[in-house]
Structure formats: C-alpha cells, structure tokens
C-alpha cells in the first residue's frame, strides 16, 4: 500500500507539472423564434420604432472560467488595473482571482468617483482626478462586483472575482485560451453580463489541449 501511495503521489505531481489547456471561440445567439428587429409586431409602431435591440453577433467581453477552487492556487502579487479614460472604465469587464488587488488610476482631467454596493465587495474611493495617487482595492470574496462613477451615469464596469486563476477574457474576435489547468474534472463556465451562464462538464488530462467552441444564448428561462 505504501508503494502504491508513493506511486499515486508521483503521478499526480507529474500531471500537475504537465497541465492542460482549453481554447476556442465563444459567441452568442438569440432565440430561434424571436421576432425580427423591425418591420412587424409592436416594433413596427411609432412608439418602439427606434428602440435598440441586442445584436448578438456584436457582443464582446465574454469570460470563460473553471468553476470552484483549485488546490495551491495563488492570487498574483502585482495589482490588476482598471483605467478611467475618456469617462470610461477600461476594461469594461475584468476577471480576477480572489485575493487580487486592483488599481483605479484616473487619466482624465475631470474628477471621477469609483464605488460599488455589491455584496461581494462594497467600497467608495471618493473623488479624484489625473495626477492624484491611484486608489487600490483588495477583492477578498468571490462574486460579481458592479462598479460605477457617482458623477457620470454611463460609467460602469464589472469585476468578476473567481476562485482560481484558470480563466480567460475573450479577445476582440471572441477567441479565448485557458492555460495551466491541472488535470481533473471540472465545470467549465461561460459568462456574459447579458446572458445566463453556460456550464459545461469537462475533463482535462495531462498535456491535453482541448479545442472547444461555445455558443451562449437565452434558453431554459422560466415561462410565465
């Protein structure tokens, strides 16, 4: 038995040193039976003629991540950064591991305020502008943190605080890559602020590189 345990431990260490990865393209798709954006139904009326509807092909800021804690995961010591530039938070969505600090530099000549009332993190950095020291916030609890500026109503961003470092923010072409995933069976989760999460069971083997395209959409919602 002792030799068997040593063998298993050695195998696990070797697998951990040869972690796998997942990559692919993530996109969104509307309901198949949704009415056209214009030309029929209520959207043809004067009242709703200019109401904007979502173009699912244009959605960006998708996040793909491994759900739950992973042993020996550590948050980075270097802070992440969300800039305030041209009255906009950049990036609009930022996934981080729990325990990560974020700096909030103001690069505009006008004052901004950074605050959140979210359960996962509540804070208020008061007013400051370009040249003032960048404020820093530690995110010590997993969850979704909605962030706003109290002066400018259109300024908002989202910090997605996750339990491990195995995540990816898709690029401008909706490609994503998650590297250094320890071998094991996981719940791969696709997230977007305007869509229900999509959870995909997945098993990663040593040195395995999985190509997985993901399509998110409106489905399995309660019917009234």
């Amino acid at each position: 038995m002792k030799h068997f345990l040593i063998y298993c431990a050695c195998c696990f260490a070797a697998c951990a040193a040869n972690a796998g990865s997942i990559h692919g393209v993530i996109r969104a798709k509307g309901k198949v039976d949704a009415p056209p954006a214009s030309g029929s139904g209520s959207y043809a009326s004067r009242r709703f003629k200019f109401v904007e509807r979502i173009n699912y092909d244009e959605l960006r800021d998708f996040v793909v991540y491994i759900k739950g804690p992973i042993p020996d995961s550590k948050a980075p010591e270097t802070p992440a950064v969300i800039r305030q530039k041209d009255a906009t938070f950049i990036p609009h969505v930022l996934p981080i591991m729990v325990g990560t600090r974020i700096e909030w530099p103001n690069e505009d000549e006008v004052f901004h305020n950074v605050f959140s009332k979210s359960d996962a993190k509540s804070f208020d950095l008061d007013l400051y502008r370009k040249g003032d020291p960048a404020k820093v916030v530690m995110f010590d609890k997993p969850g979704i943190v909605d962030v706003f500026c109290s002066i400018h109503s259109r300024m908002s961003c989202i910090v997605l605080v996750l339990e491990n470092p195995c995540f990816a923010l898709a690029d401008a072409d909706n490609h994503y890559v998650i590297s250094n995933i320890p071998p094991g069976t996981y719940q791969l989760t696709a997230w977007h602020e305007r869509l229900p999460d999509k959870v995909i069971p997945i098993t990663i083997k040593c040195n395995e590189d999985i190509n997985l395209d993901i399509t998110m959409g409106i489905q399995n919602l309660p019917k009234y």
Side-chain angles (χ1 to χ4, degrees), residues 5-59:
L5 292 176
I6 293 175
Y7 172 78
C8 289
C10 290
C11 286
F12 178 80
C15 287
N18 297 286
S21 62
I22 306 172
H23 70 276
V25 176
I26 182 169
R27 57 175 62 88
K29 183 178 182 180
K31 294 189 69 174
V32 176
D33 56 350
S38 60
S40 65
S42 298
Y43 283 96
S45 68
R46 179 184 297 271
R47 181 180 181 185
F48 297 108
K49 184 176 181 180
F50 298 105
V51 173
E52 183 180 3
R53 300 183 69 185
I54 292 178
N55 184 337
Y56 288 90
D57 293 332
E58 295 180 354
L59 289 183

Side-chain angles (χ1 to χ4, degrees), residues 151-174:
I151 303 175
H152 306 105
S153 61
R154 294 188 179 182
M155 284 185 67
S156 67
C157 68
I158 299 172
V159 179
L160 192 60
V161 189
L162 304 171
E163 296 180 89
N164 66 72
C166 296
F167 56 78
L169 176 65
D171 64 18
D173 295 318
N174 288 342

Side-chain angles (χ1 to χ4, degrees), residues 6 34 44 64 114 120 133 145 169 179 198 217-218 220:
I6 293 175
V64 184
V114 183
V145 181
L169 176 65
S179 303
K198 183 168 186 176
I218 303 297
N220 300 324

Side-chain angles (χ1 to χ4, degrees), residues 9 55 84 131 135 148 158 168 175 179 224:
N55 184 337
Q84 299 162 77
K135 306 295 181 76
F148 305 94
I158 299 172
H175 292 95
S179 303
Y224 300 96

Side-chain angles (χ1 to χ4, degrees), residues 80-100:
V81 178
I82 295 182
R83 303 159 50 220
Q84 299 162 77
K85 179 68 175 177
D86 298 328
T88 303
F89 287 115
I90 304 172
H92 174 65
V93 172
L94 181 65
I96 62 171
M97 182 179 168
V98 63
T100 301

Side-chain angles (χ1 to χ4, degrees), residues 2-220:
K2 180 179 179 180
H3 293 292
F4 176 76
L5 292 176
I6 293 175
Y7 172 78
C8 289
C10 290
C11 286
F12 178 80
C15 287
N18 297 286
S21 62
I22 306 172
H23 70 276
V25 176
I26 182 169
R27 57 175 62 88
K29 183 178 182 180
K31 294 189 69 174
V32 176
D33 56 350
S38 60
S40 65
S42 298
Y43 283 96
S45 68
R46 179 184 297 271
R47 181 180 181 185
F48 297 108
K49 184 176 181 180
F50 298 105
V51 173
E52 183 180 3
R53 300 183 69 185
I54 292 178
N55 184 337
Y56 288 90
D57 293 332
E58 295 180 354
L59 289 183
R60 296 297 181 268
D61 294 322
F62 294 94
V63 177
V64 184
Y65 65 93
I66 297 294
K67 189 175 184 178
I70 293 178
D72 301 323
S73 296
K74 294 182 179 179
E77 296 183 2
T78 303
V81 178
I82 295 182
R83 303 159 50 220
Q84 299 162 77
K85 179 68 175 177
D86 298 328
T88 303
F89 287 115
I90 304 172
H92 174 65
V93 172
L94 181 65
I96 62 171
M97 182 179 168
V98 63
T100 301
R101 295 172 294 150
I102 296 182
E103 290 185 354
W104 304 83
N106 185 349
E107 300 180 5
D108 287 334
E109 301 294 338
V110 298
F111 282 99
H112 289 309
N113 163 247
V114 183
F115 80 95
S116 176
K117 299 176 68 176
S118 300
D119 291 339
K121 190 67 179 182
S122 179
F123 62 93
D124 188 338
L125 302 186
D126 209 347
L127 300 175
Y128 61 104
R129 60 182 173 183
K130 186 176 182 178
D132 293 339
K135 306 295 181 76
V136 181
V137 177
M138 165 71 81
F139 291 80
D140 50 8
K141 182 180 178 181
I144 298 174
V145 181
D146 297 303
V147 182
F148 305 94
C149 172
S150 64
I151 303 175
H152 306 105
S153 61
R154 294 188 179 182
M155 284 185 67
S156 67
C157 68
I158 299 172
V159 179
L160 192 60
V161 189
L162 304 171
E163 296 180 89
N164 66 72
C166 296
F167 56 78
L169 176 65
D171 64 18
D173 295 318
N174 288 342
H175 292 95
Y176 75 92
V177 179
I178 306 177
S179 303
N180 300 317
I181 306 173
T185 298
Y186 303 102
Q187 297 291 312
L188 185 71
T189 303
W191 177 94
H192 191 277
E193 62 180 305
R194 300 296 302 271
L195 298 167
D197 292 356
K198 183 168 186 176
V199 180
I200 304 169
I202 194 164
T203 298
I204 304 292
K205 300 178 182 178
C206 292
N207 291 317
E208 186 175 23
D209 181 30
I210 297 177
N211 181 12
L212 179 63
D213 294 339
I214 302 172
T215 299
M216 300 183 68
I218 303 297
Q219 56 187 349
N220 300 324

